[in-house]
Amino acid sequence: MINFEKTKIILASQSPRRSELMKQAGYEFEVIASTIKESITETKPNLIVEGLSLQKANNVLDMILKSVDLSLMAYEDLSLMVIGADTVVSKNGMIMGKPKDWEEAYNMIDTIQGDKHQVYTGVTIILYDFNTGKKTYRTFSECTDVSLYPMTDSEINHYIATSDCYDKAGGYGIQDEFAVYVKEINGDYNNVVGLPIARLYQEIKKM
């Protein structure tokens, strides 16, 4: 069982939604964002997000280990837990990340409006033991089906004008103004927000 009094938790993400979910779950943690250039080698959405979450967690762990003197007694009997996550939206084989501009945001939202799509979030947990140098990995992903009401061009453009779309996979945030277009959800709501916090808790328990 993990001794959280001697385990420092690092969230390898700058997402304010993920931080809020971690806080709601009662975790004390520090945010250190990954600086790695993401590399996608898979085509299936679940494998894409799992792979990217692993890349982010590994990158942050490597940054931390390079910045500390592991020979210091201060790290004796301590552990480090790094949590990386990545989210994409998928519809009919099309993978959507964060839109880069207005046109891309419009095309993403127009593609998913009035229909059902899937939201995938991949999570990687790396537990590092300072005593032994051992790394324990656990990677998983969750999928949630989201159905949207039809949206007019005016409604799409109005939402994009809020600028809430640019830092979110698929160009929308289920927890903001876009909520009025969400018809139905099948699966974990928090997974759509960006982190399946209940599944994360269960996976940490297994470690």
Side-chain angles (χ1 to χ4, degrees):
M1 180 174 290
I2 298 171
N3 184 348
F4 283 100
E5 291 183 358
K6 293 189 175 184
T7 302
K8 185 174 183 61
I9 300 176
I10 304 295
L11 177 61
S13 171
Q14 285 185 319
S15 165
R17 278 86 54 191
R18 290 184 183 130
S19 287
E20 186 61 32
L21 287 168
M22 289 283 287
K23 291 174 185 176
Q24 288 177 13
Y27 291 112
E28 294 183 5
F29 61 96
E30 181 181 338
V31 171
I32 301 179
S34 168
T35 59
I36 196 170
K37 184 177 180 181
E38 298 176 2
S39 175
I40 299 175
T41 57
E42 301 287 349
T43 56
K44 294 182 178 180
N46 63 311
L47 297 180
I48 290 174
V49 292
E50 288 176 14
L52 291 176
S53 73
L54 177 60
Q55 290 177 36
K56 292 177 180 180
N58 267 325
N59 175 246
V60 170
L61 178 60
D62 288 344
M63 286 194 296
I64 294 172
L65 295 182
K66 288 177 182 178
S67 67
V68 300
D69 185 351
L70 298 179
S71 65
L72 295 178
M73 294 293 291
Y75 296 103
E76 189 174 353
D77 297 328
L78 298 182
S79 296
L80 187 66
M81 178 183 290
V82 180
I83 299 172
D86 192 82
T87 302
V88 300
V89 166
S90 175
K91 183 173 185 295
N92 298 332
M94 181 185 296
I95 307 296
M96 300 173 228
K98 300 173 184 176
K100 299 181 181 65
D101 51 35
W102 188 295
E103 181 179 5
E104 193 168 20
Y106 183 94
N107 289 336
M108 286 182 180
I109 297 173
D110 187 47
T111 297
I112 61 178
Q113 60 88 19
D115 206 346
K116 182 170 74 174
H117 64 274
Q118 288 72 44
V119 179
Y120 291 84
T121 297
V123 180
T124 291
I125 309 162
I126 306 177
L127 187 63
Y128 178 82
D129 187 314
F130 281 105
N131 280 354
T132 64
K134 179 182 178 182
K135 300 175 186 177
T136 303
Y137 290 82
R138 187 174 292 273
T139 298
F140 64 91
S141 60
E142 282 286 321
C143 176
T144 302
D145 291 326
V146 181
S147 297
L148 302 180
Y149 286 105
M151 298 173 67
T152 65
D153 289 348
S154 176
E155 287 172 328
I156 296 174
N157 284 315
H158 171 77
Y159 177 69
I160 296 173
T162 67
S163 297
D164 288 335
C165 60
Y166 294 113
D167 66 337
K168 299 175 179 71
Y172 77 91
I174 197 169
Q175 73 283 357
D176 59 29
E177 188 177 317
F178 197 86
V180 298
Y181 304 112
V182 179
K183 182 178 182 181
E184 185 179 7
I185 299 174
N186 183 13
D188 186 349
Y189 169 86
N190 290 326
N191 184 58
V192 185
V193 176
L195 189 66
I197 194 67
R199 174 75 183 277
L200 174 63
Y201 175 75
Q202 297 299 323
E203 295 295 335
I204 289 175
K205 281 176 63 177
K206 294 176 184 177
M207 299 177 76

